[in-house]
Amino acid sequence: MLGALTLIIGLQVLGTVLAELLALPLPGPVLGMVLFLLVLAVIRRPWAELEQVNNFFLANLSLLFVPAAVGIVSHLELVSPILGRLFLVLLLSLLAGLIVSALIFARLARRFTPASDEELLP
Amino acid sequence: MNADLTPLWVYLGRDPLAWLLLTLGAFVLSRWLYERAGQSALLNPMALTVCQLVLLLSITGVSYDAYFTGAQFIHVLLGPAVVCLALPIWQNRRSIRRSLPALIPALLAGSLVSVLSAVGLAWALGLDSTILLTLVPKSVTAPVAMGIAQDLGGIPELAAVLCAVTGIFGAIIGVPLMTRLGIRDARAQGLAMGVTSHGIGTAAAFQVSSVMGVYSSIGMALNALLTAILAGLALLFWL
């Protein structure tokens, strides 16, 4: 448990330090994710505890951004007059993004990398 | 509030653990409601939790700073959670490698369309530049989105909320919409869910099929990386 947690937190700190030292335009945790991929490429198979801790984080991802989102209470005056427009922007932009990326993937996959049976929806 | 309870409330309100407990409690309650309602996307646990806490803070007049003294213990775990996105990518590297000719163009197009359509529409509707910058990472998983919004000069807390709203919309309409468009490839639907609706969309994708969930995780992770890089480049060269 603690070894896995130490590795994960260590990679994030290392990512933050590297991003700062090299003046990279990346948030530290994102660089930490890239470093973790490199670690996995070296160790090949994550040990069971690392996998457990990792899954714990991912399974509870939505809890982790609650404190930040509650920060909206400090911005209620700013947001309430533009709420309708914000929601409209988010909805239309979401539709555009979904349609474009799914259609492009599906079209190209049909030609270059056909879906296996388990990759097809019923 | 009852006069007899006020001193107790004031006392507890000063204890950081009280806010940590309330955050966890509200989340557990929200998740229970969500499960009871058959995992209805409308009752997204994260959104429900935020609503309860915002309501509580508004009613009691407790400042966000006071709340955060307790909630920060959850907040610090965001960074490590982002690092953890590497594992599903690694575990599915073979399928991903095979899908690259479709995956990369779909990721690039989906990511660019998400950012440009949001900023363009918001500009057309007359929203101000702070809001435009805050909208840039709205399809990125919240911990990364907050960092991007901060770097660009947007409002990180608002970015987290916009991400949550986008994710909830995506979880509700994503799969029905793409199925109606005749897309039967779970990889295509999954990637689109992850690229546009990040973690909340990914949770919905895993409910449909594990292949869809894995591709959604990949879409989320790669889009976080790509948007962070694009925003970084934009900062270096234009802003």
Side-chain angles (χ1 to χ4, degrees), chain B residues 8-53:
Chain B
L8 179 65
W9 174 253
V10 169
Y11 173 74
L12 273 180
R14 283 203 211 103
D15 188 344
L17 267 184
W19 298 110
L20 180 61
L21 176 66
L22 278 168
T23 306
L24 285 172
F27 189 75
V28 170
L29 175 68
S30 302
R31 211 171 44 182
W32 180 77
L33 285 170
Y34 171 71
E35 298 292 340
R36 287 278 303 202
Q39 307 198 331
S40 158
L42 285 167
L43 285 178
N44 178 270
M46 184 250 171
L48 268 184
T49 309
V50 172
C51 288
Q52 289 173 57
L53 292 167

Side-chain angles (χ1 to χ4, degrees), chain A residues 103-116:
Chain A
L103 279 182
I104 288 182
F105 193 114
R107 291 274 154 80
L108 290 174
R110 211 171 298 153
R111 182 177 304 177
F112 298 109
T113 155
S116 62

Side-chain angles (χ1 to χ4, degrees), chain B residues 117-135:
Chain B
S117 64
V119 175
L121 277 167
W123 177 78
L125 289 172
L127 296 172
D128 74 55
S129 65
T130 314
I131 303 291
L132 298 194
L133 293 170
T134 307
L135 275 165

Side-chain angles (χ1 to χ4, degrees), chain A residues 44 67 85 93 113 119 121, chain B residues 64 125 138 184 186-187:
Chain A
R44 309 300 295 176
R85 280 181 288 172
S93 168
T113 155
E119 288 167 348
L121 293 167
Chain B
Y64 178 64
L125 289 172
K138 58 94 190 166
R184 289 183 60 223
R187 298 172 300 169

